[in-house]
């Protein structure tokens, strides 16, 4: 299965951006990663099993590219996600605090929390996308929740 690039971009652009932004925490880098991800989709000639497989491939590609960007010398010498956060309109002040807290978590927890809560992926699919065991995903999900609970000072419920 292969969908037209325009259709895929329209449908998954925001999802890919959020995945990239959750790792690199910089708007411009995340936008570049989105472009590179869709360019790779266009240039690639592989067939996908279904639409979920396309979405998972896009997220995996964005995650890999984001990790490369974060490890680069240039990225390590700057942090600009605070500027972008000021531009995002939030309905409640608590929403801004939650997003900022999630973005302040270590990457290995941040991406799993994002995929689980914002993209509604089950643990099994997250493990496939990130090439981790299901137990590793569950462990990171638990630890990420605990870190959020500690940082926010609130009682979070485990809803697995």
């Amino acid at each position: 299965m292969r969908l037209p690039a325009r259709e895929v971009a329209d449908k998954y652009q925001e999802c890919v951006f959020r995945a990239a932004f959750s790792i690199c925490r910089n708007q411009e880098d995340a936008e570049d990663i989105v472009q590179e991800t869709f360019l790779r989709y266009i240039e690639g000639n592989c067939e996908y099993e279904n639409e979920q497989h396309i979405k998972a491939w896009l997220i995996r590609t964005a995650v890999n590219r984001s990790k490369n960007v974060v490890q680069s010398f240039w990225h390590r010498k700057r942090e600009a996600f605070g500027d972008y956060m000021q531009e995002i309109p939030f309905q409640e002040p608590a929403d801004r605090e939650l997003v900022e807290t999630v973005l302040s978590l270590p990457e290995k927890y941040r991406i799993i929390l994002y995929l689980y809560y914002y993209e509604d992926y089950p643990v099994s699919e997250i493990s496939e996308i990130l090439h981790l065991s299901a137990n590793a995903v569950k462990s990171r999900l638990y630890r990420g929740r605990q870190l959020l609970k500690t940082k926010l000072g609130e009682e979070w419920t485990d809803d697995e």
Side-chain angles (χ1 to χ4, degrees), residues 36-101:
E36 289 176 28
T37 300
F38 286 108
L39 185 60
R40 287 182 183 180
Y41 176 81
I42 291 167
E43 292 174 343
N45 60 357
C46 61
E47 291 291 320
Y48 302 93
E49 296 170 16
N50 53 39
E51 200 166 331
Q52 280 300 91
H53 186 215
I54 293 172
K55 182 180 178 184
W57 182 88
L58 291 169
I59 290 173
R60 181 74 228 156
T61 302
V63 165
N64 285 340
R65 182 64 189 121
S66 298
K67 287 179 178 181
N68 291 342
V69 167
V70 168
Q71 292 172 355
S72 72
F73 174 79
W74 172 254
H75 191 273
R76 285 183 281 143
K77 296 301 177 194
R78 66 180 168 86
E79 282 293 324
F81 87 95
D83 297 338
Y84 179 67
M85 290 300 293
Q86 299 307 319
E87 297 174 15
I88 300 174
F90 290 97
Q91 292 179 353
E92 301 290 329
D95 294 341
R96 177 181 301 279
E97 181 185 4
L98 177 61
V99 170
E100 288 175 347
T101 305

Side-chain angles (χ1 to χ4, degrees), residues 52-53 55-56 115 119-132 134 137:
Q52 280 300 91
H53 186 215
K55 182 180 178 184
L115 291 173
E119 295 300 327
D120 293 323
Y121 274 108
V123 169
S124 60
E125 288 186 37
I126 295 171
S127 70
E128 289 176 22
I129 291 171
L130 298 179
H131 302 292
L132 297 168
V137 171

Side-chain angles (χ1 to χ4, degrees), residues 112-118 120-121 126 141 145 159-160:
I112 288 177
L113 288 169
Y114 166 75
L115 291 173
Y116 188 80
Y117 287 108
Y118 293 99
D120 293 323
Y121 274 108
I126 295 171
L141 192 56
R145 287 180 186 138
D159 55 350
E160 260 189 285

